[in-house]
Amino acid sequence: MVVALKKGTPPEETRAFAEVLEQQGVTVHISQGASQTILGLIGDTSRIDEERLRAQRLVEKVLRVQAPYKRASRPFHPEDTRIAIPADGKVKTIGAGTFSIIAGPCSVESPEQIIRVAQRVKEAGADFLRGGAFKPRTSPYSFQGLGEEGLELLLTAKKETGLPIVSELMDINHIDAFDEVDIIQIGARNMQNFPLLKELGQRKKPILLKRGLASTLQELLMAAEYLLAGGNEQILLCERGIRTFEDFTRNTLDLSAVPGLKRESHLPVIVDPSHACGLAWMTPALAKAAAAAGADGVMIEVHNNPETARCDGEQSLTPEEFAPLAEVLRKYAALEGRTR
Ligand code: PEP
Ligand code: MN
């Protein structure tokens, strides 16, 4: 981090200021120019409060050289993060050159529904089963999910098929019910729920962190940093579309997020084309584009009868539509040598 001091700052004030900064765990290099003094802060600057620094009377300008998301950043961890999930006596890997397919309904609705969809997506080659038990709905009058009963049904589907499961946690008070959930999803609406992130940072659980509806990549990476700072290193980033002026689609899939996040960070990137476009017919095109853009996997909503779905039917593929898509995605991944 580079801090330019106001012109005419006396040397003794500069030294005193440098000492205060050094108390925050960095080394300060002072370059005294003819008219201006520049301080170079060396070491771990992630805990230095940039805004507070800007507010200091002596400070003219602050320039951050390192990303503020230290632990999520590539320079901190040059190798891709590999997430290993035990499944059916084997291990499924996410990230590090693999390609994963997560599929299943928006929400768990009944034993017949979730088990049937689980079997069908498994047959088609999905790696993980998704299903919401606690649903974040815009309207309080919409179906809110089956709650703990939904999680129980998801676990039954996991036992029947051997597919590890992904489900959304909205309230930290429900965490105990998620013991056997393999990947905990933090939904777009909770990306910046900092108490939730802090608590999950303390747990050794893989987390699928969705990008907020109007969040920048930096904000997503800072949310991931909360989890990493707590010691949880099993984080998957998820691009699920952002709000733009375009209303043809539910959201706008920001595909540039994929190479962007992979350049900035070592964490795996999953694309959710279903919530991005909100349209079943468009989902396969976006899923293929995500694979081509270098995503580490996709998450796709699949329902055995989208017309009767209690949530997100319009964007849900039928198993018959999902199977050929999964096959093409596998072929794309294999072309690049990206297998499980
Ligand atoms: C979901 O995955 O069902 C969901 C609600 O997603 P998002 O948080 O991205 O809207
Ligand atoms: Mn949904």
Side-chain angles (χ1 to χ4, degrees):
M1 188 179 267
V2 177
V3 180
L5 299 185
K6 292 224 171 90
K7 288 194 177 70
T9 301
E12 51 294 357
E13 279 198 45
T14 303
R15 271 194 302 277
F17 187 52
E19 272 170 31
V20 171
L21 291 173
E22 287 195 327
Q23 281 161 14
Q24 295 178 54
V26 290
T27 306
V28 179
H29 183 267
I30 305 177
S31 317
Q32 193 94 52
S35 63
Q36 194 167 24
T37 302
I38 308 283
L39 307 182
L41 277 54
I42 300 153
D44 183 0
T45 57
S46 56
R47 289 179 199 275
I48 301 257
D49 186 336
E50 213 177 309
E51 267 178 44
R52 189 146 171 219
L53 207 49
R54 283 208 172 89
Q56 302 307 303
R57 183 178 47 86
L58 304 184
V59 172
E60 171 84 36
K61 230 180 200 167
V62 177
L63 181 75
R64 200 178 255 291
V65 181
Q66 279 170 358
Y69 38 86
K70 179 171 188 254
R71 284 162 186 80
S73 75
R74 263 292 169 200
F76 181 77
H77 189 298
E79 301 293 311
D80 283 351
T81 280
R82 172 187 292 270
I83 297 175
I85 311 229
D88 229 7
K90 291 184 233 126
V91 169
K92 279 196 194 278
T93 302
I94 304 179
T98 61
F99 188 81
S100 303
I101 302 180
I102 306 169
C106 181
S107 48
V108 180
E109 297 169 7
S110 68
E112 299 72 35
Q113 175 243 16
I114 192 65
I115 289 167
R116 193 74 197 116
V117 177
Q119 286 166 339
R120 296 297 298 274
V121 298
K122 160 108 190 199
E123 279 161 26
D127 303 292
F128 295 87
L129 173 68
R130 66 149 285 150
F134 295 92
K135 294 303 304 176
R137 303 305 299 277
T138 301
S139 165
Y141 309 118
S142 302
F143 176 55
Q144 303 285 310
L146 295 181
E148 294 203 16
E149 186 196 342
L151 286 181
E152 287 300 322
L153 296 178
L154 213 47
L155 289 174
T156 309
K158 173 180 171 177
K159 282 198 193 87
E160 293 270 327
T161 58
L163 287 177
I165 54 178
V166 182
S167 199
E168 176 167 354
L169 173 74
M170 293 201 295
D171 182 341
I172 200 66
N173 294 317
H174 297 147
I175 184 81
D176 291 338
F178 281 70
D179 253 7
E180 288 175 67
V181 172
D182 300 278
I183 302 178
I184 294 180
Q185 173 173 319
I186 295 301
R189 290 152 192 84
N190 271 317
M191 187 201 86
Q192 286 189 319
N193 182 335
F194 299 120
L196 188 58
L197 296 177
K198 277 188 197 163
E199 194 57 43
L200 290 172
Q202 306 294 323
R203 319 265 169 160
K204 298 281 166 271
K205 267 271 184 207
I207 308 288
L208 177 93
L209 178 64
K210 292 189 124 189
R211 181 179 182 181
L213 277 73
S215 298
T216 62
L217 296 188
Q218 172 151 329
E219 286 163 341
L220 172 59
L221 289 165
M222 289 306 285
E225 191 76 7
Y226 265 86
L227 297 164
L228 294 162
N232 188 347
E233 291 173 349
Q234 303 184 80
I235 316 299
L236 294 92
L237 304 172
C238 180
E239 162 58 36
R240 47 78 72 206
I242 47 171
R243 278 274 166 89
T244 68
F245 55 83
E246 181 55 76
D247 60 2
F248 185 74
T249 46
R250 182 175 177 182
N251 293 288
T252 298
L253 179 61
D254 177 13
L255 264 189
S256 62
V258 178
L261 289 170
K262 293 200 62 74
R263 185 182 168 100
E264 283 298 298
S265 177
H266 49 89
L267 299 172
V269 178
I270 304 295
V271 170
D272 170 351
S274 307
H275 289 89
C277 66
L279 301 162
W281 62 265
M282 193 185 278
T283 296
L286 298 187
K288 289 183 272 188
D296 296 282
V298 288
M299 178 155 86
I300 295 171
E301 285 191 340
V302 180
H303 196 286
N304 49 344
N305 188 357
E307 284 179 289
T308 64
R310 298 187 73 182
C311 181
D312 288 350
E314 193 185 357
Q315 68 194 35
S316 298
L317 299 187
T318 60
E320 292 74 24
E321 290 162 341
F322 173 69
L325 172 62
E327 196 184 329
V328 170
L329 291 173
R330 288 264 165 257
K331 284 187 184 153
Y332 279 19
L335 270 179
E336 295 186 346
R338 302 202 284 138
T339 49
R340 281 163 286 173

